[in-house]
Short mmCIF file of all heavy atoms in Angstrom, two decimals:
data_model
loop_
_atom_site.label_atom_id
_atom_site.label_comp_id
_atom_site.label_asym_id
_atom_site.label_seq_id
_atom_site.Cartn_x
_atom_site.Cartn_y
_atom_site.Cartn_z
N MET A 77 19.05 58.96 -30.64
CA MET A 77 20.02 58.15 -29.91
C MET A 77 21.17 58.99 -29.38
O MET A 77 21.62 58.82 -28.25
CB MET A 77 20.55 57.05 -30.84
CG MET A 77 21.49 56.07 -30.16
SD MET A 77 21.87 54.71 -31.27
CE MET A 77 22.93 53.73 -30.23
N SER A 178 3.75 40.16 -11.72
CA SER A 178 4.88 39.28 -11.97
C SER A 178 4.99 38.94 -13.45
O SER A 178 3.99 38.65 -14.10
CB SER A 178 4.76 37.99 -11.16
OG SER A 178 4.79 38.26 -9.77
N ARG A 180 7.69 36.67 -16.16
CA ARG A 180 8.83 35.76 -16.23
C ARG A 180 9.35 35.72 -17.66
O ARG A 180 8.60 35.64 -18.63
CB ARG A 180 8.40 34.37 -15.79
CG ARG A 180 9.48 33.30 -15.97
CD ARG A 180 9.06 31.96 -15.41
NE ARG A 180 8.97 32.01 -13.96
CZ ARG A 180 9.33 31.00 -13.15
NH1 ARG A 180 9.82 29.89 -13.68
NH2 ARG A 180 9.21 31.10 -11.86
N ALA A 379 46.34 28.85 -18.51
CA ALA A 379 45.81 27.70 -19.25
C ALA A 379 44.42 27.97 -19.80
O ALA A 379 44.10 27.57 -20.93
CB ALA A 379 45.80 26.48 -18.34
N VAL A 405 58.93 52.96 -26.35
CA VAL A 405 59.27 54.12 -25.53
C VAL A 405 60.30 54.92 -26.33
O VAL A 405 61.39 54.43 -26.62
CB VAL A 405 59.85 53.70 -24.17
CG1 VAL A 405 60.27 54.93 -23.37
CG2 VAL A 405 58.84 52.86 -23.39
N MET A 448 39.13 62.80 -37.76
CA MET A 448 38.04 63.65 -37.29
C MET A 448 38.17 63.85 -35.78
O MET A 448 38.24 62.89 -35.01
CB MET A 448 36.68 63.03 -37.61
CG MET A 448 35.51 63.96 -37.24
SD MET A 448 33.92 63.36 -37.86
CE MET A 448 33.63 61.94 -36.81
N ASP A 490 31.35 57.53 -40.85
CA ASP A 490 31.80 58.36 -41.96
C ASP A 490 33.10 59.08 -41.56
O ASP A 490 33.11 60.29 -41.31
CB ASP A 490 30.70 59.37 -42.32
CG ASP A 490 31.09 60.27 -43.49
OD1 ASP A 490 32.01 59.91 -44.24
OD2 ASP A 490 30.48 61.35 -43.64
N SER A 552 39.01 35.02 -18.99
CA SER A 552 38.28 35.33 -20.22
C SER A 552 38.50 36.77 -20.65
O SER A 552 38.71 37.06 -21.84
CB SER A 552 36.79 35.04 -20.03
OG SER A 552 36.56 33.70 -19.69
N TRP A 576 39.04 64.34 -11.49
CA TRP A 576 39.00 65.67 -10.90
C TRP A 576 37.62 66.28 -11.05
O TRP A 576 36.98 66.17 -12.09
CB TRP A 576 40.01 66.59 -11.60
CG TRP A 576 41.42 66.10 -11.55
CD1 TRP A 576 42.12 65.69 -10.45
CD2 TRP A 576 42.32 65.99 -12.67
NE1 TRP A 576 43.40 65.34 -10.82
CE2 TRP A 576 43.55 65.52 -12.16
CE3 TRP A 576 42.21 66.26 -14.02
CZ2 TRP A 576 44.66 65.30 -12.97
CZ3 TRP A 576 43.31 66.04 -14.85
CH2 TRP A 576 44.52 65.57 -14.32
N ARG A 582 28.54 75.25 -2.04
CA ARG A 582 27.26 74.91 -1.42
C ARG A 582 26.82 73.48 -1.74
O ARG A 582 25.90 72.96 -1.11
CB ARG A 582 26.16 75.89 -1.86
CG ARG A 582 25.81 75.83 -3.32
CD ARG A 582 24.68 76.79 -3.69
NE ARG A 582 24.38 76.73 -5.11
CZ ARG A 582 23.61 75.80 -5.67
NH1 ARG A 582 23.06 74.86 -4.93
NH2 ARG A 582 23.40 75.80 -6.97
#
Side-chain angles (χ1 to χ4, degrees):
M77 185 172 181
S178 297
R180 174 175 292 218
V405 177
M448 185 171 71
D490 181 19
S552 301
W576 302 310
R582 66 178 179 81

